[in-house]
Amino acid sequence: MQIIWSYQGRRIISYEKLFNSYKVSEFNSPTRSTVPLLTYWRTPEQRVKEFSKVLGFELPRSVCLNFEYKVPVQCGRGPASQTDLMLISGEVCVAIEAKFTEPKYETVAQWLVKGKDIENRKKVLKGWLGLLSPELKETDVADLTYQLIHRAASACYPKAKSHHLVYQVFDVNSAQKEEYLCDLQILRGLVSPDRLSIHLVECSIRRTSLQKCLERRWDEGERFFHEPVLCGLKNGELIDVELKNTSTIK
């Protein structure tokens, strides 16, 4: 199997070189979802086979792993959506959003009224909804998180026959898992399965003594751990990640 690596659309030569593409600040916290995500994809051949099996798509010879994959707004003005990882393999596109310790993001309704140019925000939202389904309206998605909407829209953006949105959640408790599932189930009711398959992939984590130490110091108020986090990631010394369960939202 040929693994092709890229970061924000720029080709890179290996997993080891991937770390040099991120801003150093991305690794300041040992609890960022970047830590388990990059740890999981450290063995790409194994992980691609896992994903292809649980999501049910065929595996061609070449797989492109696009980290921080940018999709521009389709209407109005605004920043691109940056998907944590876009896996593209033949006619299959899988948008992977990693979740670890971050709190729930703002809803569409909350996002729309922020800032001065509400009309522009409505145009931006309309553009995302257009990628999902031409029938969708602002009121349909008002209570969903805005990030979920533009990530789902990004999953539909690349030219492919099969599009998947995956929430890859790491070490979440039952309440967090239920919250994610609830949002994904609402989205499922709004977007045709022929347009987008939706999944929640649950991963368990075993923390090393180094990771436990860094998390404890973070909780005590220390900051800027990019050096030990980066070193630990490169050497595989922070956590072990294992795929636990997969839920396909129907």
Side-chain angles (χ1 to χ4, degrees), residues 64-217:
C64 190
L65 299 178
N66 305 276
F67 289 83
E68 297 297 323
Y69 184 89
K70 288 187 175 184
V71 174
V73 295
Q74 304 298 292
C75 295
R77 307 175 310 279
S81 179
Q82 287 192 200
T83 301
D84 291 332
L85 172 59
M86 190 74 77
L87 185 158
I88 299 177
S89 182
E91 293 296 329
V92 176
C93 170
V94 183
I96 299 169
E97 178 66 23
K99 298 292 183 185
F100 188 21
T101 61
E102 53 268 270
K104 189 172 182 178
Y105 291 100
E106 62 194 358
T107 65
V108 169
Q110 292 168 333
W111 176 82
L112 278 174
V113 297
K114 286 177 62 177
K116 298 178 180 179
D117 196 345
I118 295 176
E119 288 306 311
N120 178 65
R121 291 194 172 222
K122 289 185 176 183
K123 290 178 182 178
V124 170
L125 177 62
K126 184 178 179 180
W128 295 130
L129 296 181
L131 285 174
L132 291 168
S133 172
E135 293 81 22
L136 279 179
K137 300 185 293 293
E138 174 187 316
T139 52
D140 295 327
V141 299
D143 294 329
L144 290 174
T145 59
Y146 174 64
Q147 188 202 58
L148 171 59
I149 296 302
H150 61 80
R151 290 291 192 268
S154 296
C156 298
Y157 179 75
K159 295 186 184 301
K161 291 182 179 179
S162 175
H163 298 86
H164 301 261
L165 171 67
V166 174
Y167 263 27
Q168 186 173 13
V169 300
F170 299 94
D171 200 32
V172 296
N173 58 41
S174 57
Q176 290 171 314
K177 179 180 176 180
E178 191 59 35
E179 190 173 76
Y180 290 135
L181 283 172
C182 181
D183 280 355
L184 295 177
Q185 286 164 347
I186 293 172
L187 181 67
R188 170 76 297 147
L190 298 172
V191 181
S192 167
D194 293 334
R195 180 61 175 154
L196 181 67
S197 295
I198 303 173
H199 316 265
L200 185 139
V201 173
E202 187 177 1
C203 296
S204 61
I205 284 179
R206 185 185 67 80
R207 292 165 169 83
T208 65
S209 57
L210 173 59
Q211 177 71 12
K212 290 177 182 177
C213 176
L214 292 174
E215 288 189 15
R216 183 179 66 253
R217 291 168 61 189

